[in-house]
Amino acid sequence: MSQQPFNERPTPITAAGVRQQPSGMPFQRYVPFGTIDLPDRTWPSKVISKAPRWLSTDLRDGNQALIDPMSPARKRAMFDLLVKLGYKEIEVGFPSSGATDFDFVRSIIEEGAIPEDVTISVLTQAREELIERTVESLRGAPRATVHLYNATAPLFRRVVFHASKDEIKQIAVDGTRLVMEYAEKILGEDTVFGYQYSPEVFIDTELDYALEVCEAVMDVWQPSEGREIILNLPTTVERSTPNVYADKIEWMSRNLSRREFVALSTHPHNDRGTGVASAELAVMAGADRVEGCLFGQGERTGNLDLVNVALNLFSQGVDPEVDLSNIDEIRRTWEYCNQMSIPERHPYVGDLVYTSFSGSHQDAIKKGFDALEADAKAAGIPVGEQTWGVPYLPIDPKDVGRSYEAVIRVNSQSGKGGVSYVLKNDHNLDLPRRMQIEFSRTIQAKTDAEGGEVTPQQIWSVFEDEYLPTPDAPWGRVQLRSHQASSTADGTDTIMVDAVVDGSDVTLRGTGNGPADAFVAALAQIGVDVRVLDYAEHTLSQGSGAQAAAYWECAVDGKVVWGVGIDTSIVRASIKAIVSAVNRAQR
């Protein structure tokens, strides 16, 4: 059955029967990006099962996009961070642009800061004096790559360079030859030397012409076994949907000669907000290497976010081959070096990315953590080794160095799941479901009245005031002093309770089927009608001095309330819980 093309379908009608209206914006000024004729494309069914080669451009592309470019100290801190994280290819500057970049490249070489297995890269335009200066900056480097670029797209040929296709191709060819000549003249055999070429604005360059230029460059470099060439195909200004970029990468990968000696590299920008998708689809389409910056730093909307892509792989069970296990340390160094702040919603690193305020989300997360603990216990393994599966959390925050403190935060949109999660996570209190509902209403009333967020400390303070009055701040009719319980052979329990009732010292006595039942009978002596509806209990910790928590749901003089008791004795905890319920009913 044939389908109507998406862009020819009629404007949808809303549920209220209203059509969307024209915006009035001058959209007709813009030309749609065309598609690629590649009916046998293979990338849509591919799965990324191994990390690509990474190239960080933080010290070049990211740095030159800053209002206040990095000082030497900040550049060194960024370089050391990238090395520590495990990046093996790092573009460290644009040495011909000025003394700052040139001196920095010289400093990391002369100070021995570059590990033997790390390749530094430097960028240059295709002019002889710039190429010479660039290669000169690499003298003595253990492993180095010169990255040469020139723009090849029609708009640039016509508007910027006023040059023909052949003239633009000749710039690339001559530049490649000059890089080779100066590398041979300046760099000794101690430097493992490599070459990278970028047809800048590849995304807007005709495919057959981009291929022609790359082939001409390779004819000069002569890639072969042990003599790789890196061909970088950037979305210098991201203008197409990621699938079109993937088609272009697959087309180039298929049609390049000497493909086995080519490292096909991708350098997406983020003008459309789809840089990460462009990179991932490009790798599926055959790209070997991904270039970008930590957290997407770069001109305009930025470059590809290397951390985002790496942790996307991690979330799919693929080793990213860079260590991002302390995301907040990485963030602190990044913010110091760039003198910028990372937004709260930035993927994986923002303050709020592992946080839920929504009540339904919080309830699902709490249940997810409970199930994770149960599954790990059943399997006889630590929770940290259990296969991850918690609703709304794509990865375990602890795997990137985050605690669970901010996973759930409570405001007026929150519900029982969020409140009960905080109490369990911070205080080991596992409230029964109906009690969760009861206490969440108390918190909801607070947030509705005061607005904003309720912190875990405030939640605990409200919980204590509601269920756990301290001896020096009594409330309610009954204050428990002490008790003695005994059992007879026939199973009858007797309890003697010393208490303060309505300000007077009294001794209550009762019998029943168990200490709690006996205490309920004792309360009848002072005219308190208690009927137990439900109860739950659990330990709070391990060891001889471990405390227990008891939760009792009671109908007190017809009013249904919960009470809570905490004590090293489960009997005392239960009695305290019943007292808590009685007193709450009188408030």
Side-chain angles (χ1 to χ4, degrees), residues 60-120:
R60 195 273 302 173
D61 202 356
N63 182 47
Q64 69 188 41
L66 296 173
I67 297 173
D68 177 20
M70 297 181 201
S71 64
R74 285 153 55 198
K75 286 176 76 78
R76 180 58 182 271
M78 177 62 76
F79 179 78
D80 290 344
L81 172 66
L82 294 167
V83 169
K84 180 180 179 181
L85 297 182
Y87 288 98
K88 301 303 181 185
E89 297 179 69
I90 304 171
E91 195 163 79
V92 293
F94 202 145
S96 64
S97 66
T100 301
D101 269 22
F102 186 92
D103 292 346
F104 174 72
V105 176
R106 295 306 312 151
S107 71
I108 59 175
I109 294 172
E110 292 170 359
E111 294 170 14
I114 308 170
E116 286 294 325
D117 62 347
V118 170
T119 300
I120 61 169

Side-chain angles (χ1 to χ4, degrees), residues 332-448:
R332 285 191 296 270
T333 303
W334 184 95
E335 291 184 331
Y336 159 71
C337 293
N338 289 285
Q339 300 291 287
M340 296 178 71
S341 298
I342 291 177
E344 289 87 345
R345 300 293 183 189
H346 197 101
Y348 295 110
V349 69
D351 284 339
L352 297 178
V353 296
Y354 304 107
T355 301
S356 287
F357 290 96
S358 161
S360 61
H361 291 196
Q362 293 174 347
D363 185 58
I365 290 170
K366 179 184 180 297
K367 290 173 180 175
F369 275 116
D370 290 345
L372 197 72
E373 292 177 7
D375 291 345
K377 184 176 181 180
I381 60 175
V383 173
E385 296 177 12
Q386 178 65 31
T387 300
W388 181 251
V390 172
Y392 299 110
L393 291 175
I395 66 171
D396 186 343
K398 285 191 174 178
D399 288 337
V400 290
R402 287 279 176 89
S403 71
Y404 291 149
E405 289 179 4
V407 167
I408 286 178
R409 289 165 62 175
V410 176
N411 64 12
S412 61
Q413 301 300 310
S414 305
K416 68 182 188 308
V419 174
S420 59
Y421 171 87
V422 170
L423 291 174
K424 182 176 182 182
N425 187 64
D426 293 3
H427 303 283
N428 292 322
L429 293 176
D430 193 4
L431 275 57
R433 185 177 182 278
R434 287 198 300 277
M435 185 180 174
Q436 294 176 24
I437 296 170
E438 180 189 84
F439 182 56
S440 70
R441 289 173 181 155
T442 302
I443 296 297
Q444 189 79 38
K446 179 179 176 63
T447 57
D448 286 343

Side-chain angles (χ1 to χ4, degrees), residues 28-42:
Q28 63 276 4
R29 297 185 62 212
Y30 300 92
V31 178
F33 204 94
T35 58
I36 306 302
D37 184 18
L38 196 68
D40 59 342
R41 59 181 60 82
T42 63

Side-chain angles (χ1 to χ4, degrees), residues 26 60 80 135 159 209 233 297 358 408 491 522 535 579:
R60 195 273 302 173
D80 290 344
V135 177
V159 174
Y209 179 61
L233 307 176
Q297 168 61 5
S358 161
I408 286 178
Y535 75 95
V579 169

Side-chain angles (χ1 to χ4, degrees), residues 227-273:
R227 186 174 171 80
E228 172 190 80
I229 187 170
I230 301 169
L231 295 177
N232 178 50
L233 307 176
T235 62
T236 308
V237 177
E238 186 183 43
R239 295 208 313 110
S240 75
T241 51
N243 63 298
V244 174
Y245 182 54
D247 280 348
K248 289 197 166 197
I249 294 295
E250 180 163 342
W251 190 94
M252 289 290 287
S253 183
R254 289 186 191 184
N255 287 280
L256 281 167
S257 68
R258 297 158 281 195
R259 179 64 179 89
E260 66 271 30
F261 309 125
V262 175
L264 200 59
S265 190
T266 176
H267 185 118
H269 279 246
N270 199 41
D271 298 271
R272 290 171 55 92

Side-chain angles (χ1 to χ4, degrees), residues 253 281 322 507 565:
S253 183
L281 297 192
V322 284
T507 298

Side-chain angles (χ1 to χ4, degrees), residues 66-351:
L66 296 173
I67 297 173
D68 177 20
M70 297 181 201
S71 64
R74 285 153 55 198
K75 286 176 76 78
R76 180 58 182 271
M78 177 62 76
F79 179 78
D80 290 344
L81 172 66
L82 294 167
V83 169
K84 180 180 179 181
L85 297 182
Y87 288 98
K88 301 303 181 185
E89 297 179 69
I90 304 171
E91 195 163 79
V92 293
F94 202 145
S96 64
S97 66
T100 301
D101 269 22
F102 186 92
D103 292 346
F104 174 72
V105 176
R106 295 306 312 151
S107 71
I108 59 175
I109 294 172
E110 292 170 359
E111 294 170 14
I114 308 170
E116 286 294 325
D117 62 347
V118 170
T119 300
I120 61 169
S121 176
V122 287
L123 184 72
T124 182
Q125 295 169 311
R127 286 160 45 192
E128 182 168 4
E129 70 276 14
L130 303 182
I131 291 171
E132 180 181 13
R133 180 71 168 164
T134 299
V135 177
E136 179 63 40
S137 73
L138 298 174
R139 192 187 295 270
R143 309 177 68 89
T145 295
V146 168
H147 176 190
L148 181 136
Y149 75 98
N150 68 311
T152 55
L155 183 64
F156 282 72
R157 297 196 307 261
R158 179 176 65 85
V159 174
V160 181
F161 301 113
H162 306 288
S164 67
K165 285 184 174 180
D166 286 342
E167 289 170 325
I168 293 296
K169 179 174 68 175
Q170 196 61 45
I171 291 172
V173 167
D174 292 342
T176 303
R177 186 174 292 111
L178 286 168
V179 168
M180 294 169 63
E181 290 175 2
Y182 280 105
E184 185 176 356
K185 183 188 306 182
I186 294 173
L187 303 181
E189 294 183 358
D190 292 339
T191 298
V192 178
F193 181 70
Y195 181 60
Q196 172 173 336
Y197 172 70
S198 292
E200 193 192 13
V201 207
F202 164 79
I203 190 64
D204 286 308
T205 302
E206 307 92 331
L207 274 178
D208 56 351
Y209 179 61
L211 179 66
E212 180 183 337
V213 174
C214 289
E215 290 287 350
V217 166
M218 288 197 290
D219 287 343
V220 177
W221 178 256
Q222 288 295 306
S224 60
E225 189 68 38
R227 186 174 171 80
E228 172 190 80
I229 187 170
I230 301 169
L231 295 177
N232 178 50
L233 307 176
T235 62
T236 308
V237 177
E238 186 183 43
R239 295 208 313 110
S240 75
T241 51
N243 63 298
V244 174
Y245 182 54
D247 280 348
K248 289 197 166 197
I249 294 295
E250 180 163 342
W251 190 94
M252 289 290 287
S253 183
R254 289 186 191 184
N255 287 280
L256 281 167
S257 68
R258 297 158 281 195
R259 179 64 179 89
E260 66 271 30
F261 309 125
V262 175
L264 200 59
S265 190
T266 176
H267 185 118
H269 279 246
N270 199 41
D271 298 271
R272 290 171 55 92
T274 56
V276 167
S278 292
E280 292 176 330
L281 297 192
V283 171
M284 292 161 61
D288 306 297
R289 191 175 78 151
V290 169
E291 301 185 8
C293 295
L294 302 181
F295 309 126
Q297 168 61 5
E299 292 276 20
R300 304 183 308 278
T301 55
N303 291 294
L304 167 75
D305 184 342
L306 290 178
V307 174
N308 194 339
V309 177
L311 288 176
N312 283 354
L313 293 177
F314 177 76
S315 73
Q316 300 298 303
V318 177
D319 184 358
E321 298 181 6
V322 284
D323 184 0
L324 305 173
S325 60
N326 192 342
I327 200 74
D328 287 323
E329 179 189 5
I330 300 168
R331 171 186 176 164
R332 285 191 296 270
T333 303
W334 184 95
E335 291 184 331
Y336 159 71
C337 293
N338 289 285
Q339 300 291 287
M340 296 178 71
S341 298
I342 291 177
E344 289 87 345
R345 300 293 183 189
H346 197 101
Y348 295 110
V349 69
D351 284 339

